[in-house]
Amino acid sequence: MPAAHTRPVRLVLAALAALVLLLSGAVAATPAQATTSSLDGAWACDVPAGYVYDQVSMNRSCSGGGSWNSPQFHLRTPVDGLTACKSAPGFVYDAITWGSACSQISGVTSNQYHLRKPYDGLTACMGTPDFTYDYLTWGTACSLTQGVQSNAFHLRKPVSGLWACDVPSGFTYSQTTQNYDCSTYRGATSTKFLLLG
């Protein structure tokens, strides 16, 4: 009698074990499937969220059967150090270069951006909400117009006791001073703030 009762129990346990193995295999397969569906390196007719592009090809692939050329984009996943045709959320850029890779008009150059993940001490062409800056520099690295100088920002992680060019959210200041560190106009002074927070 006990042996007869254990057979159905064994079958149920075996079925449960098979179900567990099946489910664990499906869960394990999910990351591999996600990796193979990456669009990094693909050519596409538009740029989906989460991607940038580093080249443009003008051809008829995306013109809907028309006889005109339209842009096709070489998609890239944004990473630190990538030169791309546009910036991406969570990144800044520290240099702008010019060339034909991103141009959508034959014979016209356009700009490309050297993407960087922001960090304390990086000199970047733009600010970001998680950082402040403690001085500006001048040069052509960040210029949107070839040959024209523009300023760049020395990014700093905001902390109490830092002299900064602006007061980030969540901070106040205990002193101010006037100097040339933060001026967007050469030869003019601007205010710098001693952060408190």
Side-chain angles (χ1 to χ4, degrees):
M1 193 80 164
H5 280 60
T6 57
R7 178 175 280 169
V9 171
R10 285 183 187 162
L11 289 175
V12 169
L13 289 175
L16 285 173
L19 181 61
V20 167
L21 286 173
L22 178 66
L23 290 176
S24 67
V27 171
T30 302
Q33 290 169 351
T35 302
T36 58
S37 68
S38 171
L39 297 176
D40 189 61
W43 285 92
C45 297
D46 67 355
V47 182
Y51 290 89
V52 294
Y53 58 100
D54 63 355
Q55 295 176 57
V56 175
S57 174
M58 297 301 291
N59 57 54
R60 295 190 178 127
S61 297
C62 299
S63 64
S67 60
W68 60 90
N69 286 337
S70 60
Q72 192 175 29
F73 306 96
H74 186 246
L75 302 180
R76 296 300 307 274
T77 302
V79 294
D80 188 65
L82 174 70
T83 297
C85 301
K86 67 175 198 167
S87 190
F91 288 84
V92 294
Y93 50 95
D94 63 354
I96 296 173
T97 55
W98 293 80
S100 59
C102 297
S103 180
Q104 297 182 33
I105 301 172
S106 179
V108 175
T109 59
S110 63
N111 46 5
Q112 297 169 277
Y113 304 90
H114 186 247
L115 302 184
R116 299 302 308 271
K117 273 289 191 187
Y119 63 84
D120 189 62
L122 174 69
T123 298
C125 301
M126 59 187 289
T128 176
D130 294 334
F131 289 81
T132 185
Y133 60 103
D134 59 354
Y135 64 84
L136 294 171
T137 58
W138 288 84
T140 57
C142 294
S143 180
L144 291 170
T145 306
Q146 282 181 300
V148 175
Q149 289 198 340
S150 65
N151 47 24
F153 305 85
H154 185 250
L155 300 182
R156 297 299 310 272
K157 198 69 176 168
V159 293
S160 274
L162 174 70
W163 282 98
C165 297
D166 68 358
V167 181
S169 178
F171 284 81
T172 187
Y173 55 98
S174 60
Q175 294 180 51
T176 62
T177 188
Q178 292 286 315
N179 60 31
Y180 300 100
D181 290 352
C182 307
S183 179
T184 55
Y185 300 100
R186 287 189 175 174
T189 60
S190 63
T191 304
K192 203 166 184 181
F193 307 89
L194 183 61
L195 297 185
L196 182 65

